[in-house]
Amino acid sequence: MGNNNNDNNSAVKIVKNIAFRIYRWDGANPDDAPQMKVYEVPVYKGMTVLEGLIYIKHYLDQSISYRASCRMGVCGSCGMMINGKPLLACQQQILKLETDTVELRPLANYPVVKDLVPDLTRMIVTHQAIKPFIIRRETPPEEIGGEFHQSVEELVNYLQFSYCIKCGMCMSACPTVGSLPEFHGPQPLGQALRYINDTRDEGFEDRLAVMDTAEGIFRCHFAGACSEACPKGIDPAFAIQLLKGEIVRRGIFRKKAGASAALMPLTQENPPRRENIPTPPPRTVE
Amino acid sequence: MRESKLWFMHILAGGLLIVFLGFHSIIMHYDTVLGYLGLSSGDALDFNSSVLPRMKSVAHTTIYLILLVIGLYHGLYGLRSMIYELAIPRGAKKAAGVFLLLVGLAVGAWGVYTILAGHLNPPPELTAVLGG
Ligand code: SF4
Ligand code: FES
């Protein structure tokens, strides 16, 4: 797209110019006061906020920083405050905002690296701490050597929560994350439930030890802002309430977890490969 | 004690408070409504006919002991939660928690003493000293 490309032969028709007011601050110069810079962006129908930012970076100001990758709501990189709400820039169409000014700020509740780039360390570290992987007590993963049996109903129990793209927008919407630095926040807690609800997993006690603290899961007030913000329909607020119930049932009333998923028996020692599956490339490391 | 247990007791106390505060409200503030239903034992604040019999009643004494314990626990745990959500040093939060525990124990002991004193050693009936 060219500068103000408004001619009739062009593939896109500019509907109007919109002012982007963008938060500018560089962590490399922490003493400089943050400022809001305004850029005029020609907007066509269907144009997303991310495309607006790409336009600005390309034609108006190459020093601006933002994070994006997939441009289709999958990688979770482009979360930012758009007109005061945490939204994915690649999914938010500019004209649908129905304002003449689009104000962009970095996600709330995180330190800023530069301009629209938040430092997501808090979420990533807490996510790691709740052990977001299948834990088996008896068999170490390298000895499993097969697939676990899981019914469709058992899959549905955690499927919704497994769609998390780690965009961090739930954390930026959560009032408790904003006021309590030690609170785990909706993203890690939602993922704790995702694994606890998985019949292949046996790591409830490990995760309980992380979550069951004075500043942990029970500081969630069910404000529900995280679920409003989540672009993938995870409903982390609901996940947290389910998790509280599970902690009470299993942690306090000692209700036994259902039997863990069993390994599916291999029908043959070396099942033949289907013909149309390409052979994997040779190993590059031993 | 694990936070989950403290939190669960807070929720449980909240549920019980609805029941026991309900009893309290109906007995103390809805005696007119109870009158319509033919259940009123007279003016709830009349010392000789209402207050004194309540003091002597085992059921009422038990209800008020339970109400005292669950009300104190629910309120003080709620206050502790609010303090824990402040961005203050962890040591200060812990100190506040211990302080609230001591306050709870002291106020609880005082409350239990007051309720039991009224039950075990009720005052004599009021005579019409004020005339009328
Ligand atoms: S739960 Fe939703 S909002 Fe939170 S990180 Fe995952 S996808 Fe993003
Ligand atoms: S760029 Fe990947 S989610 Fe927006």
Side-chain angles (χ1 to χ4, degrees):
Chain A
M1 192 182 76
N3 234 350
N4 277 318
N5 190 349
N6 228 340
D7 83 46
N8 284 338
N9 301 325
S10 129
V12 290
K13 255 205 157 68
I14 301 307
V15 178
K16 61 174 167 175
N17 282 0
I18 289 209
F20 273 50
R21 284 189 79 228
I22 302 182
Y23 177 94
R24 304 297 310 267
W25 183 78
D26 187 350
N29 305 311
D31 294 336
D32 294 353
Q35 39 173 314
M36 300 299 290
K37 278 189 105 176
V38 180
Y39 305 90
E40 193 90 342
V41 177
V43 174
Y44 55 86
K45 203 167 165 226
M47 185 174 178
T48 63
V49 171
L50 178 58
E51 286 166 327
L53 280 168
I54 293 170
Y55 175 88
I56 294 168
K57 181 126 182 133
H58 212 86
Y59 295 109
L60 307 178
D61 186 347
Q62 292 179 356
S63 72
I64 195 164
S65 294
Y66 54 87
R67 210 186 261 138
S69 179
C70 69
R71 292 184 282 167
M72 53 195 226
V74 171
C75 71
S77 310
C78 66
M80 58 187 70
M81 306 305 287
I82 301 178
N83 286 354
K85 286 188 185 153
L87 294 164
L88 288 180
C90 68
Q91 287 200 315
Q92 181 59 53
Q93 293 187 14
I94 301 167
L95 294 175
K96 292 235 164 113
L97 289 167
E98 293 176 351
T99 50
D100 288 332
T101 306
V102 175
E103 188 176 283
L104 302 182
R105 290 173 182 269
L107 279 181
N109 291 348
Y110 295 99
V112 178
V113 179
K114 182 173 183 284
D115 303 339
L116 300 172
V117 179
D119 177 357
L120 301 179
T121 307
R122 173 177 177 182
M123 177 182 76
I124 305 290
V125 166
T126 322
H127 184 225
Q128 257 175 344
I130 61 100
K131 302 182 196 275
F133 42 82
I134 301 285
I135 299 172
R136 297 291 288 196
R137 290 270 158 256
E138 307 282 308
T139 338
E142 60 276 15
E143 284 172 26
I144 287 172
E147 289 179 10
F148 290 105
H149 183 271
Q150 193 164 61
S151 69
V152 174
E153 291 74 25
E154 289 168 341
L155 170 72
V156 167
N157 248 343
Y158 69 85
L159 185 63
Q160 171 186 351
F161 309 115
S162 69
Y163 291 136
C164 174
I165 55 173
K166 286 113 201 139
C167 63
M169 299 202 313
C170 51
M171 305 280 284
S172 104
C174 172
T176 312
V177 168
S179 65
L180 180 55
E182 297 89 354
F183 180 58
H184 302 101
Q187 192 278 337
L189 291 172
Q191 291 313 289
L193 182 77
R194 178 254 172 272
Y195 285 94
I196 287 170
N197 268 9
D198 190 325
T199 49
R200 297 168 297 177
D201 182 79
E202 295 171 341
F204 173 77
E205 293 294 339
D206 299 45
R207 297 191 187 95
L208 183 65
V210 180
M211 296 181 294
D212 197 0
T213 61
E215 284 117 344
I217 179 168
F218 297 102
R219 297 289 77 81
C220 163
H221 296 280
F222 202 6
C226 53
S227 295
E228 288 266 325
C230 178
K232 305 308 278 186
I234 310 284
D235 202 348
F238 179 51
I240 294 173
Q241 309 323 308
L242 291 179
L243 192 51
K244 284 178 183 169
E246 198 61 18
I247 291 174
V248 169
R249 273 188 295 278
R250 281 164 74 171
I252 298 180
F253 292 110
R254 296 281 152 210
K255 180 184 157 248
K256 289 260 172 295
S260 305
L263 273 176
M264 290 215 283
L266 289 176
T267 43
Q268 283 170 279
E269 192 61 35
N270 286 311
R273 292 176 64 81
R274 276 209 331 263
E275 269 175 10
N276 54 353
I277 302 176
T279 44
R283 295 181 70 136
T284 54
V285 286
E286 284 312 314
Chain B
M1 196 186 286
R2 273 195 157 164
E3 191 66 23
S4 51
K5 289 193 178 141
L6 298 176
W7 176 82
F8 179 63
M9 291 193 310
H10 173 72
I11 298 295
L12 199 66
L16 290 173
L17 266 180
I18 295 174
V19 177
F20 285 93
L21 268 181
F23 278 134
H24 168 83
S25 296
I26 289 170
I27 293 166
M28 298 303 294
H29 308 294
Y30 291 92
D31 47 332
T32 320
V33 179
L34 285 179
Y36 293 142
L37 301 171
L39 297 170
S40 175
S41 54
D43 179 359
L45 295 181
D46 185 281
F47 191 79
N48 290 346
S49 69
S50 290
V51 178
L52 210 46
R54 279 203 303 275
M55 273 187 188
K56 292 177 184 168
S57 147
V58 175
H60 273 97
T61 305
T62 312
I63 287 176
Y64 278 99
L65 282 173
I66 295 173
L67 193 51
L68 170 74
V69 173
I70 60 178
L72 257 180
Y73 182 78
H74 190 81
L76 291 177
Y77 181 86
L79 191 54
R80 173 183 172 273
S81 299
M82 287 159 69
I83 292 170
Y84 264 80
E85 282 168 31
L86 299 175
I88 54 174
R90 187 167 279 174
K93 293 180 187 178
K94 285 205 164 141
V98 172
F99 175 71
L100 289 177
L101 175 68
L102 295 177
V103 168
L105 289 174
V107 174
W110 185 21
V112 169
Y113 169 76
T114 311
I115 294 169
L116 287 184
H119 177 69
L120 299 173
N121 192 14
E125 282 196 10
L126 280 186
T127 47
V129 284
L130 299 178

